[in-house]
Amino acid sequence: MLTVHHLNNSRSQRVLWLLEELGVPYEIVRYERQPDMRAPKELRAIHPLGKSPVITDNGNTVAESGAIIEYLIATYGNGRLIPPPDTPERLRYTYWLHYAEGSAMSPLLLKLLFTLMPKRAPALLRPLVRKVSNQALTALVNPQLKQHMDYWEGELAKSEWFAGNEFTAADIQMSFPLEAAQARGGLELGHPKAMAFLERIHARPAYARALEKGGPYQVGR
């Protein structure tokens, strides 16, 4: 049976959601983050990098969110949650599927790191680390993040979903950056289309079922 190696509060929640949308049977092997938020070493027995998400299916081990989505859609989708070939929507689908991790997550990760650094620095160094972190956030990270959030807002003004007027797996892939931006990037400030997107996906029954099976999920908090 298809197995999802699921790390709590992680990108693997998207995989559960996709499987619920497709109605594909699967089992979950659960892993809990360590106190430093890293994945436990047991995940390295599944994939050398020890990261999540990872799935195993019919002798295949597939890692990376985008690759997993492509595999699941090709293997179990039967044409669902993907636009027809050779259409503008298919091109947009492919773009957003890769943009989500290739471009969108970089400033969000930097935002998280520079926010956490002062809290985890030794007490004597904390003022200096806070000053450096605040300068990096103000001069580099926050402007880049705002540019991305404004971009999402503009694209969602063109169509209800990222690839067009139909919900696709690209929207599942894009859910994580938008949820992270809501949690720590100020998405709610001046981005009503993006916030409406989050409301729509959170209202989907398959999203709710994935939360029930995956457990508590508070991305970026």
Side-chain angles (χ1 to χ4, degrees):
M1 176 177 283
L2 190 154
T3 300
V4 180
H5 298 271
H6 176 59
L7 180 67
N8 65 308
N9 280 340
S10 77
R11 292 161 168 84
S12 61
Q13 188 66 37
R14 288 182 296 196
V15 178
L16 303 182
W17 177 20
L18 174 60
L19 289 168
E20 290 295 329
E21 292 280 358
L22 294 174
V24 176
Y26 63 95
E27 63 180 12
I28 300 175
V29 177
R30 301 178 185 276
Y31 303 83
E32 293 294 319
R33 290 185 182 275
Q34 301 175 99
D36 62 3
M37 296 304 293
R38 295 181 182 179
K41 62 182 180 180
E42 287 79 8
L43 262 173
R44 294 181 186 172
I46 310 303
H47 187 277
L49 293 181
K51 303 288 186 179
S52 180
V54 180
I55 65 169
T56 50
D57 184 42
N58 294 323
N60 299 308
T61 299
V62 187
E64 294 293 338
S65 300
I68 291 171
I69 288 176
E70 290 197 51
Y71 173 84
L72 293 176
I73 291 294
T75 307
Y76 299 105
N78 295 318
R80 293 173 293 166
L81 300 183
I82 184 172
D86 301 319
T87 62
E89 290 78 12
R90 183 62 165 265
L91 184 59
R92 289 180 67 184
Y93 169 91
T94 302
Y95 170 77
W96 292 110
L97 199 64
H98 294 277
Y99 162 90
E101 293 292 338
S103 295
M105 285 306 300
S106 297
L108 287 161
L109 178 58
L110 290 173
K111 177 85 171 182
L112 178 62
L113 290 176
F114 282 118
T115 301
L116 290 178
M117 280 172 57
K119 300 176 183 178
R120 299 188 177 184
L124 290 175
L125 295 176
R126 201 164 295 154
L128 176 60
V129 174
R130 182 177 293 110
K131 181 178 180 180
V132 172
S133 296
N134 288 342
Q135 288 178 341
L137 287 169
T138 300
L140 175 66
V141 179
N142 289 341
Q144 285 191 20
L145 184 52
K146 184 179 185 305
Q147 185 179 23
H148 282 276
M149 293 190 296
D150 290 347
Y151 176 44
W152 307 337
E153 186 71 11
E155 292 299 304
L156 289 170
K158 299 175 184 177
S159 59
E160 185 175 13
W161 302 104
F162 276 101
N165 292 321
E166 299 293 330
F167 174 79
T168 70
D171 298 298
I172 294 176
Q173 179 77 327
M174 282 297 296
S175 67
F176 193 86
L178 268 73
E179 287 174 332
Q182 181 188 27
R184 58 177 180 262
L187 183 68
E188 70 279 4
L189 303 175
H191 303 97
K193 297 292 186 183
M195 293 299 294
F197 169 87
L198 289 179
E199 290 181 8
R200 288 196 300 276
I201 65 171
H202 293 162
R204 295 183 71 86
Y207 186 97
R209 292 196 301 271
L211 283 180
E212 291 176 4
K213 294 184 179 179
Y217 174 64
Q218 290 184 312
V219 59
R221 297 188 185 277

